[in-house]
Structure formats: structure tokens, C-alpha cells
Amino acid sequence: MSELQQEPTAVQGEGRWLLGDPIADNRAPDSPIGDRWSDRKFTARLVNPANRRKMTAIIVGTGLAGGAAAATLGEAGYHVKSFCYQDSPRRAHSIAAQGGINAAKNYRNDGDSVHRLFYDTVKGGDFRSRESNVHRLAESSLQIIDQCVAQGVPFAREYSGLLDTRSFGGTQVSRTFYARGQTGQQLLLGAYQALERQISAGTVEMHPRTEMLDLIVVDGRARGIVTRSVLTGEIETHLADVVVLCTGGYGNVYYLSTNAKGSNVTAAWRAHKRGALFANPCYTQIHPTCIPVSGEYQSKLTLMSESLRNDGRVWVPKERGDSRPPNDIPEDERDYYLERQYPAFGNLVPRDIASRAAKNMCDAEQGVGPGGLGVYLDFKDAIGRLGRSAVEAKYGNLFEMYQRITGDDPYEVPMRIYPAIHYTMGGLWVDYDLRSTIPGLFVGGEANFSDHGANRLGASALMQGLADGYFVLPTTVADYLADAPFDKVDENHPEVKEAVEATRARIDKLLSANGNRTVDSFHRELGQLVWDHCGMARSKEGLEKALDRLPSLREEFWRDVKIVGTGDGFNQSLEKAGRVADFLELAELMCTDALHREESCGGHFRVEHQTEEGEAQRDDENFSYVAAWEYGNGGRPILHKEDLEFSYVHPSQRSYK
């Protein structure tokens, strides 16, 4: 049991989980919300520059959060060990982000402000996020753009030279800075260059092709990690004074997602099993603008940036089963349903709302394309209004990518899109300082739960990653390290040896199964099960069906999986098997969390809890809390509730009409 938990007080959900003690964030200052971050920075303790060289920080992940944190802490003088399973830090999945990054600069003079960005983010998350963290994110957005411009990130500019912006869903202002459809790539290259500079200076020790397989906890503190070399299979331990996880989200539990194939939950899940609480795992984001599934052979999905909804219009035929080519359907026979249903925001409603609306159209047999699982995203009006060259300047690489994948030219015919799993708002629980419930373990970026509530607004992922990496973690990690020096730990410590032995035993168990099913076949079955019952729509009946099936599927996996090769050397089958084993456990917690939350909010849509108009129906009286789950250690998970308090943005029925 964790230090947060004395004894579970009640059995819940027909015995599927236990109720533990409440949890609270005690790190945020009790100040007016606009002063909290500045007050926290002032009270954070400092480490003498000469002492920083004696302290080691492990940072797992080299995306925007991890790369920025490693570069910043290295430049501050700490000894940093950076880890990624890719062959280079620049291959982190942040590079795939397309549309932009939010910042309340108000260059357009259209009414934007830090408070409006704060308000839009809390509202967009359906009032299930923490006000303190969201306001800090909005404040930090101003510095992020200046930081990135100074690094040479080639943001788009207007003719006058001013940085250009565009709009994203859930807002009525233009606050999204972008570099065509390659914003994530350009931002990551900026962080990567800063990281490489510190590698060259000797402050950062880079470990590519190295996957974290367990967390080392000694005397209650995170003191290191167990890793496996992807190339040689060698198991190693790396020890430090502090560990920071910036390992991304868990969308690949669904098998088909917009995530890179290697994206996984293993680092976070290992930490969870060592005592870190996992918060809101059922909060997963369905992105409305993806290329539809084309066949059973498919292994991932491709995102079409939300920025396309600035100029593209979403529609379906008014008549059910209308199979005519889109250009043959007259204007008066088209249903621009987002513009009809949400006139104030139109095509720029938040992602959860746009996704459900597309699903509803397809469920009503108005979908287009194979199987009727698609809607049109049409640029005919934008091309007529702006000219092809202007549209090409904004979205050219996205249009080219779509044409290469589908064979259709979006300059001539509308794109076909359909919702897909994209981002996860759940993650390891952290306080205002981004500390997990394990002392010495910090969590940044998508790997934590802290900023987005039940639905992330578009263009806010890059903002959070860079805010955590450049500005938050360097302050709060230093405050923690001010308590150093900690007791010396070496590879012979019993808890270090236990973590290594547990890792080796797990690998040996996977290799010894010698069954007759591939890892991918199990992953596909798991993904379909979770998509069907814990995807765009959830129901009590479906979630219980999934929870009844998952334990037996997990048993079948450990008995029947077939992994070719050995653990000594490069073995992608073994890598995938370890990740899928963790997904199988995570999926059960996701479904349990979704079952316990008897309301609809953001991306969590319980069909039993909706308004007459089919919108999400929250239950603020009973569910205005963060659900932070403690690992049950083979038994039932234990729920700890963090009550959410709203003093500056009062919860109301979300409306974008």
C-alpha cells in the first residue's frame, strides 16, 4: 500500500475497485491565481552552481518535454542522463505534430489574453482540470514563443514580418502559431539542437536505443531506472538523484491510433506498479480529422491537422446512402452539420464535439466512403476565396501527404476524414510541481495528467510539453534537489538488484511462452475490444463486457504468445511483447475508470449520461474530482479522489452554439 493509503474504506462497482483516502495538491501557493507561479518560483529553493555538477538527473524521453528539460537542466550545470528507445532524440513522436502551438500573444488584437486562454482551456477540458496548472500553462505560453523564435524555429510570418497565427477548435480567437503543417518537427528540432549543444558540452550523457523497463525505488525514493539496449539486449541499471519521465501517452493501447508504432506506456506503467498513482486513465482523445481506416492490414492511422478546419468545411450528403461522387452533389443537398449545429464556432468546435458529431452522422447512415465511415472536409470555398496558391502555402505538405496515402487530390475533391485515437489526457498523477506520489519521480508532458481535463484543445500539447520542459521542471526539480545529498546507492543495493531480477524474469517469461499467436494478433484483439467498449462511446454494459474479457485475454497472451529470437540482441518481437503486456494491464484500469465515472465529460462519453441534444452531461456534484488510482498489486485498484475547486472559471453546461 502507498503512503497515501491506510486501508481501503469500501468496495465499489460490484467489487471491481476499492475506495482509498483522498489526495490533494499541496504545492500550489494560496495566492491569487495570477500570482501563484511567480510566488512558487520565488519560494522554490536553489542549488549552488558548484553543487549542481555533483547531482545526476535521469530524463526518460526526448520529445518536447524531455528534450527541453534535459537541455535546460544540462545548461544549468546538472549532470543529465537522457534516454530514448529511438536511434536519435530527434525521432521522438513530438516530431509528428502538425498544426501549431497556442500562445496568448494577441498579435491579431482580437481579444486574446492569458485569462482567455486559461478560460478556453478549462472550458475545453469540460471543467475537469486543475485551475492552478492551467493558468501557469497559459502564462508560460508567452515565453515559449520567444524561446522558440530565439532558437530559430521558422514560424510562419505575415507579409509585414509579424508571426502569423490561425485558429483551432474551441476558441474564437487566432492564437495558434505554426510552421505550415510541420510545427512539431520544427519545435522538436529547436529543442534537439539545444540538447545536442549540451551533449557536446558534456553536461548531458545521451543513451539512444535504450528502453526503460523498470523504475528503481530505494527507501521510498526514485533513484534510477533499469534499461535494456535495443541493439544488444544488455540489461543495465542507471542511478541518479532524481528521475523525470517524459515518455508520452498511451494511445497505442487501441492498436490503431495516430501515434508512432513504438509509442508505449511501459515507463509510466512500471512507475505506477512501483507506487505512482495513475490519474484519469479513461480520458482519451478522439481526433476528428484523420484519414479513415482502409483495411484490416493497417497498423496505424494518419492524422490530418486540425488546422485544416480553419478553411475546410465539414459536410455529409443530406440523403442517406448517397454514393455519388462529392463534386456531383449539389450545394443544397449537402449538410454542413457543424455549421448548422454549432453556429458560433462552426467547424472549429472542440475535438470531442466534432468527433461525436461525425460518428452521429455515420451512425445515421449519412457517412461517405467504404463502409460509410467518413465525412467530407472540403476546400472548394477556400480555394475560390483565397486562391490555390494561398491554400497551398498554408497546407501544401498536408495535402501532399493525403494524396500520397489515398490517391485523391484534395485540391480537386474533398478529403475524407473520420475520428481516431490521438492523445491521452490521463497519465501519472502529479502535483503543481509535477512531482508524482513517489518522491524523486517527476513527470512531464503527455505522460502526466495535469493540464487538459477531459479533453485537450488542439495546439495545446506542444504548449504543455515545452512549458514543462523549459520552465516548470527546471524550477521544481531544483527545489527537490535542494534536499540532497541523498544516501549513496550502488548496483549492489538489494532494491536495485530486485528491480533488475524482476526485469530479467519478465523477459524470460515472455520468451519461454512459445505459443502459437503473434504479438500483433493479441494487440489487434485488445485494440478492437477497447475501441468498441471504451472508445468514442462507453456504456455500463460494454465496459463490464470488456472487464470480463480482459483478464482471460491477458492469461491467453502469457500462455500463447510466440516470440521468435532471443533476448540477446535486436528483437522487435520481444520489444512489442513487453509493451503489449503493459497495455493489457492498462486497458483494465481504463475500463474500470470509465465504469466508475457515471457521467459524460469531454472525451469520456457515457451513453447513459447525455442531454436531450446528445451532448455530454456532467455530474459536478458527484464527479468533480481527479480519479487517481493506486496499483492493486494483483488485486483491485484503489481509487483516491482529488477534489477540483473552481474559483475563477465556474463550471457550466459547455456550449459552442
Side-chain angles (χ1 to χ4, degrees):
M1 287 185 291
S2 83
E3 62 187 16
L4 299 164
Q5 168 70 29
Q6 298 301 315
E7 189 69 32
T9 57
V11 177
Q12 303 286 325
E14 298 179 358
R16 294 194 184 273
W17 70 88
L18 301 172
L19 184 63
D21 294 336
I23 189 172
D25 170 26
N26 297 316
R27 299 280 175 186
D30 186 18
S31 312
I33 198 163
D35 298 331
R36 287 178 190 171
W37 180 227
S38 58
D39 288 351
R40 182 67 191 104
K41 286 189 289 185
F42 179 73
T43 58
R45 295 164 297 168
L46 305 177
V47 177
N48 183 298
N51 290 336
R52 295 174 195 168
R53 293 189 292 271
K54 305 172 187 176
M55 299 176 180
T56 301
I58 284 174
I59 300 180
V60 186
T62 57
L64 289 182
T72 307
L73 288 171
E75 189 168 12
Y78 297 97
H79 178 218
V80 177
K81 287 183 160 185
S82 179
F83 295 82
C84 66
Y85 66 80
Q86 299 94 341
D87 60 354
S88 166
R90 69 179 180 273
R91 292 191 181 275
H93 189 53
S94 298
I95 207 163
Q98 298 169 348
I101 177 171
N102 287 331
K105 285 286 196 181
N106 196 31
Y107 285 169
R108 291 289 185 92
N109 195 29
D110 56 0
D112 203 7
S113 64
V114 167
H115 188 79
R116 189 175 295 279
L117 175 53
F118 161 66
Y119 172 84
D120 286 345
T121 305
V122 173
K123 177 184 175 184
D126 216 353
F127 305 97
R128 290 294 176 262
S129 50
R130 207 189 269 153
E131 283 190 330
S132 297
N133 291 67
V134 176
H135 199 278
R136 177 176 63 191
L137 181 64
E139 291 176 61
S140 300
S141 73
L142 306 177
Q143 298 171 274
I144 292 170
I145 301 303
D146 296 339
Q147 168 88 1
C148 295
V149 169
Q151 288 178 331
V153 173
F155 287 120
R157 294 181 181 268
E158 297 177 337
Y159 179 76
S160 65
L162 194 69
L163 295 183
D164 196 13
T165 56
R166 54 193 180 198
S167 297
F168 261 58
T171 71
Q172 291 178 306
V173 296
S174 182
R175 65 162 66 104
T176 304
F177 295 77
Y178 65 98
R180 298 188 77 192
Q182 305 167 343
T183 313
Q185 179 182 27
Q186 300 304 326
L187 292 174
L188 184 62
L189 290 175
Y192 168 69
Q193 290 174 102
L195 176 59
E196 286 293 317
R197 180 170 175 267
Q198 295 309 312
I199 294 171
S200 178
T203 63
V204 176
E205 182 183 311
M206 189 66 227
H207 295 266
R209 294 281 188 150
T210 306
E211 185 169 16
M212 172 183 163
L213 295 183
D214 208 346
L215 179 72
I216 296 172
V217 180
V218 177
D219 297 330
R221 290 183 186 270
R223 295 302 304 271
I225 60 175
V226 180
T227 65
R228 178 181 181 273
S229 167
V230 172
L231 294 177
T232 68
E234 184 179 2
I235 304 296
E236 292 184 321
T237 57
H238 297 269
L239 303 174
D241 298 293
V242 66
V243 178
V244 184
L245 299 186
C246 300
T247 50
Y250 48 90
N252 273 348
V253 68
Y254 291 90
Y255 187 72
L256 287 179
S257 81
T258 66
N259 290 196
K261 283 297 291 178
S263 297
N264 63 84
V265 76
T266 291
W269 194 251
R270 298 289 103 201
H272 175 56
K273 296 184 78 168
R274 292 287 178 183
L277 300 190
F278 206 111
N280 299 335
C282 78
Y283 287 169
T284 54
Q285 180 162 87
I286 316 292
H287 197 295
T289 318
C290 299
I291 298 178
V293 176
S294 56
E296 291 186 0
Y297 59 85
Q298 202 162 346
S299 62
K300 77 176 299 296
L301 298 172
T302 303
L303 172 69
M304 289 285 100
S305 169
E306 182 176 319
S307 63
L308 295 170
R309 290 198 275 146
N310 270 273
D311 293 304
R313 300 178 70 193
V314 179
W315 64 275
V316 293
K318 288 183 177 179
E319 293 296 323
R320 293 183 178 183
D322 191 335
S323 60
R324 288 176 292 174
N327 290 343
D328 291 347
I329 300 177
E331 192 73 15
D332 62 355
E333 296 181 31
R334 302 179 178 188
D335 181 5
Y336 294 93
Y337 59 89
L338 290 178
E339 299 172 30
R340 170 175 57 81
Q341 295 175 6
Y342 306 98
F345 282 73
N347 295 298
L348 288 175
V349 293
R351 291 175 175 179
D352 58 321
I353 290 176
S355 295
R356 280 198 296 275
K359 179 182 184 299
N360 291 340
M361 290 296 110
C362 295
D363 289 348
E365 300 181 8
Q366 290 177 260
V368 299
L373 292 178
V375 298
Y376 289 127
L377 181 61
D378 197 336
F379 289 86
K380 179 181 178 181
D381 289 353
I383 293 171
R385 183 178 72 255
L386 304 172
R388 174 169 172 152
S389 60
V391 172
E392 190 170 355
K394 286 184 176 181
Y395 312 116
N397 65 305
L398 297 171
F399 278 39
E400 179 184 356
M401 181 167 65
Y402 181 88
Q403 185 170 11
R404 289 189 176 191
I405 292 172
T406 66
D408 293 331
D409 182 358
Y411 293 105
E412 301 295 332
V413 296
M415 290 182 178
R416 267 194 321 109
I417 58 171
Y418 192 70
I421 290 291
H422 178 54
Y423 186 90
T424 54
M425 287 75 65
L428 293 181
W429 185 92
V430 291
D431 61 19
Y432 190 64
D433 280 3
L434 304 187
R435 299 188 190 207
S436 74
T437 48
I438 299 176
L441 178 67
F442 289 72
V443 191
E446 190 180 356
N448 72 37
F449 87 100
S450 65
D451 291 6
H452 306 297
N455 174 62
R456 177 176 68 80
L457 291 184
S460 288
L462 306 184
M463 177 172 61
Q464 187 205 349
L466 292 179
D468 287 355
Y470 283 135
F471 303 115
V472 181
L473 286 167
T475 297
T476 58
V477 167
D479 179 74
Y480 173 78
L481 290 175
D483 287 330
F486 305 118
D487 292 340
K488 294 291 184 182
V489 176
D490 61 29
E491 294 181 354
N492 294 316
H493 192 287
E495 292 181 86
V496 177
K497 294 170 74 173
E498 183 275 328
V500 173
E501 290 166 5
T503 299
R504 292 189 187 279
R506 193 163 181 265
I507 291 173
D508 290 343
K509 185 177 180 182
L510 285 168
L511 290 169
S512 64
N514 200 30
N516 53 22
R517 284 187 63 180
T518 65
V519 177
D520 280 345
S521 74
F522 279 107
H523 199 177
R524 283 181 186 275
E525 183 176 347
L526 170 66
Q528 192 64 56
L529 182 69
V530 181
W531 174 253
D532 287 344
H533 301 302
C534 196
M536 267 198 285
R538 295 106 185 255
S539 68
K540 184 175 188 290
E541 180 184 4
L543 290 166
E544 289 182 336
K545 181 177 179 180
L547 286 167
D548 288 339
R549 170 62 179 141
L550 282 167
S552 59
L553 180 61
R554 190 165 60 248
E555 289 177 10
E556 290 170 23
F557 172 84
W558 285 101
R559 184 180 64 245
D560 296 336
V561 70
K562 175 70 173 178
I563 300 171
V564 296
T566 69
D568 301 324
F570 184 70
N571 189 338
Q572 287 187 308
S573 179
L574 176 60
E575 290 173 43
K576 289 192 290 185
R579 296 165 185 171
V580 172
D582 290 327
F583 282 140
L584 283 162
E585 295 183 9
L586 167 69
E588 194 164 348
L589 186 62
M590 290 171 61
C591 292
T592 301
D593 188 37
L595 180 64
H596 112 275
R597 190 168 284 275
E598 290 277 1
E599 65 164 354
S600 293
C601 56
H604 168 64
F605 191 77
R606 285 284 298 269
V607 297
E608 304 95 335
H609 305 288
Q610 55 183 303
T611 67
E612 292 181 358
E613 297 177 325
E615 304 290 354
Q617 181 66 62
R618 295 194 323 271
D619 181 354
D620 292 335
E621 182 178 350
N622 295 305
F623 291 97
S624 186
Y625 59 77
V626 175
W629 294 90
E630 180 182 351
Y631 182 64
N633 195 24
R636 289 165 291 197
I638 302 166
L639 171 63
H640 301 271
K641 299 178 182 180
E642 178 201 340
D643 288 335
L644 293 169
E645 297 179 4
F646 295 94
S647 303
Y648 296 87
V649 180
H650 296 289
S652 60
Q653 180 63 41
R654 220 171 29 141
S655 175
Y656 292 92
K657 297 183 178 183

